[in-house]
Every structure is written in C-alpha cells, then in structure tokens.
Amino acid sequence: MSLKLKILTLALLPLLLVTATITLINVNQAQTLSELEIQTFEQNLLTSKRNELKNYVELGLTAISQVINDESLTQEAAQSEVKRILHSLTFGEDGYFFVYDGKGVNLVHPAQPELVGQPLITLRDGAGDLVIASLLNVAKQGGGYHRYTWRKPSLGDEEDKLGYVVELPKWGWILGTGLYVDDIAKEISRVRQQVTINIRNSFFTVVVLTAASAVIIIAIGVAINLHEGRLADGRLRQLAHKSVQFQVSQRRRFARELHDGINQLIVSVKFRIELAANKIKKGDLTASQDLSKGMEVLNQAIKEVRRLSHDLRPSLLDDLGLISALKSLLDEYEARTGITVEAELGLPVERLPDDIEITLYRVIQEALCNVEKHSGADEVRLKTSLHGSQIVLKLSDNGDGFDITKASQQAGIGIRNMHDRIELLSGEFAITSEIGRGTQLRVKLPLS
C-alpha cells in the first residue's frame, strides 16, 4: 500500500467515526420520537373511544327518556317498552346496549339473548374481575368507565373491552354499552412495526452510503491529491440532510395516520344523524337535539384533526409557505401569551428547501416557547433576512436574561434541539445573554 493511500485511509477513520456516531444518534432520536408519537396516538385513540361510548349512552338515554317519564304508562309497560327499544338499538359490527337490575340480573342483551334473566352478579372475566358487580358499583357512583374482557360476537372469543355505564335511578337499573379495544392494540403494533422497519432501512442506507463514500474517496485518493478528502465532509453533510429529510417525512406520514383516530368521532356523528333522521320521519321534534349534539361532536373532530396535524406538521407551511406559517404562529403566540412580537420577515419570494423551512419554523417556535417559560419578557423582536447564500435569523427579548456560562453546563433539551437542528444543516447557532439585559439568538443557514 502506497504512502498516499495509507495517509488517506487514516484520514478516513475520523470521518467514519463521526458518521457512525451521527447515525447512532439519529437512530436513537428517531426511535425515541417515534415511541412518543405512538404513545400519543394510542392515548388519542383511547380518548376517542371514551368519548364515543359516552355519546352512545347519551343517545340511548335520549331514546328511552320519554318512555320512562310517561306517566300514562304503568311501570311494567314502561319497562317492557324500554327493553324493546334498547334491544333494537345496535351500532357497528359488535355494538349494542345492555341493562341490568340492581341485583345483577340481565334484562337486555341483544348479542347474547341467552343471558337475559340470568343473575350474573358473580360472573368473572378471564382476569378474575367481577364484571357485573364492578359495573353496578361504577354506575351507582355516578356513572363512568370500566375495562374488562367479554365475548366478541364477530369472533366468538373474549377480547379486551371498554364499557361505560349509568344508572336509571327510577328503577334501580344500569344502562351501558361498550367498545372492543383489541383493534387499538393491533393498530399500535402495526405502526410500531412499520416505524421499526423504516428506522432499520434508514440505518442500512446510511451504512451503505458511508461504505460507498469511503471506497470512492480511497479510489480517487490513489489517483489525485489528498485535498480530495474534502469530499468526505460533503458526503457527511449529505447524510445529515438525508437524516433531517427522513424525520420530516416520518412526521408527515404519522400526521396522516393520526387522522384515522378521528374515525370514531365521525361514526358518532353518523349515528346521531341517523337517529335524527328516524325521528324526523316519525315527527319527533327532539330530532334537532340530536343534530345539535352531532354538530358538537363534528366540531370536536375537526378541532382534533387540526390540533394533531398542526403539532406534527403545520399545514400552513406546506400550503402557503414559511412566511404565512410564521405570521400565523406569531399571531397565535401574541394572543395566547400577551407578549408583543415585532417581526421583520425578509425571506425570498420563492419557496426555500423543505428541510430549511421546517428547521427555521421549529427553531423560532422553540425560541418563543423558551421566552414564554423562562424570560419574563413582554416584548420579542424577530428578524429574518437573506445575506448572499445564507438565511440569517435574529431573535431577541427584553427579559431577565441568564448566565451563559452556567446555562451552557446544564443546557435544556430545548436549546439542544435548536442547536442540533441547525448543526445538521451545517449552519451556525449562537446565544448571548446578560442578566437583566435580555437574550439574543442568532442563526445562519446556508441555502446550498
């Protein structure tokens, strides 16, 4: 091996080490972020199930309230009519209402009619839970949720189920319904598997690219001068850009998947509209109440979609560009915090590269959050401008300031995230501050 090749090989070692370190850090960050997003996704699905259950029970109560309060009916006739109505009310593939008296005797069970009339107070599920006794206890305490296992009609096996019950105090009965949540576990498992595959593929891609880069650089170095080692730095930046673009792509994909959780709310709206339509056909004037309830749930679904989508990827950034997205962010920030923001957004008319736009947006968002939480400021100045082939960002506040030396030894995750984002794009990141004289943030990002 020639001396030049030996020197080039030794020069490649730091590059390979840095690349491996960055790859491991990015893989770890991607795994942590993905797990947090999956947990949020799961929590949102459960919350959606809870809201849906409550809405179903409210619909059931609405359907039987007139019968219960009809003084012209005997108690026996009223109870018989209530049983008939609830027996006929079903939803979805496995959705139905059940009724028990105060002693745990089943009165209504469309999915398992053989249970009607059976005393089930001592019935236990696969986990040993006294299901009916627990439901009675929850209902007598004002109503609420209870999780247990129960036979799923469409499968014939016991599955995890979330129930919601309320008491009918006039007769001492409990009314409830439930939704099977086994689909949540399957969906979470599918999403986690897909995320793992994506992270693994990205890791192997980086490894292959790094190995290919090393071979190419060594091959070129045999024929040309050692200064061609600079190609390694360019390739390292390429890998960093690919890492940022991968994370942006993951956020977009996950934002679309989160929308699926809203489906449960839409089902509830559909159920209310169908109920209202049936009432209108019968001349029932209470149909407007169901339509109003449906509108409330629909508005809730719309707000949830907007909130989840904005948290993961601001739609304005994709639709109208960085300037519009920043103006919306600043307007909302001023309205929410009362902090005045003086902004001068001197950005190019044409769209910036996607990774630069999302990085600038997230850095400004994080910096404003830090001002709100820690500075005690009532005024913020923001300026973005184009200098040659660089985007320059300056953000300052009139807050309390802090000791830079001490802060650098215990930098919070917010500052680290901003620094990492800018560093991955080969930019410059600097913070200056003095106690009592506010804080200044300065960022430079190359466009090429």
Side-chain angles (χ1 to χ4, degrees), residues 316 322-333 343 345 361:
L316 280 177
L322 180 59
I323 293 180
S324 296
L326 288 177
K327 287 181 178 179
S328 175
L329 173 66
L330 298 178
D331 289 342
E332 187 274 337
Y333 182 80
L345 304 178
Y361 183 92

Side-chain angles (χ1 to χ4, degrees), residues 286-338:
T286 62
S288 62
Q289 299 176 2
D290 295 299
L291 290 175
S292 296
K293 285 285 187 180
M295 287 295 293
E296 291 177 7
V297 178
L298 185 57
N299 285 331
Q300 179 185 351
I302 293 172
K303 291 178 181 178
E304 185 69 8
V305 170
R306 288 174 178 169
R307 183 186 68 79
L308 293 175
S309 297
H310 187 270
D311 286 347
L312 292 172
R313 174 77 183 185
S315 59
L316 280 177
L317 194 59
D318 288 327
D319 300 336
L320 301 178
L322 180 59
I323 293 180
S324 296
L326 288 177
K327 287 181 178 179
S328 175
L329 173 66
L330 298 178
D331 289 342
E332 187 274 337
Y333 182 80
E334 285 186 319
R336 178 171 54 83
T337 64

Side-chain angles (χ1 to χ4, degrees), residues 81-253:
E81 178 64 10
V82 166
K83 292 177 184 178
R84 184 193 67 78
I85 293 173
L86 293 176
H87 185 274
S88 65
L89 286 178
T90 58
F91 52 91
E93 185 179 9
D94 298 296
Y96 57 87
F97 291 95
F98 55 79
V99 178
Y100 291 86
D101 65 14
K103 296 181 179 179
V105 176
N106 183 267
L107 304 178
V108 175
H109 204 297
Q112 293 178 267
E114 68 273 10
L115 298 181
V116 176
Q118 297 294 322
L120 304 177
I121 193 70
T122 59
L123 179 67
R124 296 179 182 270
D125 65 6
D129 178 39
L130 288 167
V131 177
I132 309 307
S134 299
L135 291 173
L136 284 169
N137 184 51
V138 170
K140 290 177 180 179
Q141 291 180 4
Y145 303 93
H146 182 64
R147 198 157 175 175
Y148 55 96
T149 59
W150 195 268
R151 185 171 71 86
K152 189 173 185 178
S154 61
L155 297 178
D157 297 326
E158 282 199 0
E159 298 290 346
D160 199 11
K161 189 172 187 179
L162 178 66
Y164 181 79
V165 291
V166 296
E167 186 178 23
L168 301 178
K170 186 173 182 179
W171 300 332
W173 292 2
I174 67 165
L175 165 66
T177 187
L179 289 172
Y180 293 92
V181 294
D182 55 306
D183 57 327
I184 292 181
K186 293 178 182 177
E187 180 66 13
I188 296 302
S189 176
R190 186 188 68 80
V191 172
R192 183 175 279 111
Q193 183 180 13
Q194 185 61 44
V195 169
T196 301
I197 291 174
N198 290 341
I199 293 175
R200 184 177 58 200
N201 290 343
S202 298
F203 175 78
F204 286 138
T205 299
V206 172
V207 170
V208 170
L209 288 174
T210 304
S213 299
V215 171
I216 292 173
I217 293 172
I218 292 175
I220 293 175
V222 174
I224 62 176
N225 207 306
L226 287 177
H227 76 273
E228 292 297 322
R230 295 177 181 176
L231 292 176
D233 294 334
R235 295 183 184 280
L236 182 59
R237 294 191 191 97
Q238 252 185 352
L239 295 179
H241 279 284
K242 286 181 180 292
S243 175
V244 173
Q245 290 169 346
F246 166 73
Q247 293 182 24
V248 172
S249 175
Q250 285 294 94
R251 284 179 174 271
R252 281 179 174 165
R253 183 190 63 78

Side-chain angles (χ1 to χ4, degrees), residues 31-49:
Q31 289 175 334
T32 301
L33 178 61
S34 299
E35 191 59 37
L36 288 175
E37 291 176 337
I38 289 171
Q39 291 174 8
T40 301
F41 183 38
E42 183 177 13
Q43 187 60 41
N44 288 334
L45 287 179
L46 284 174
T47 300
S48 176
K49 292 279 189 183

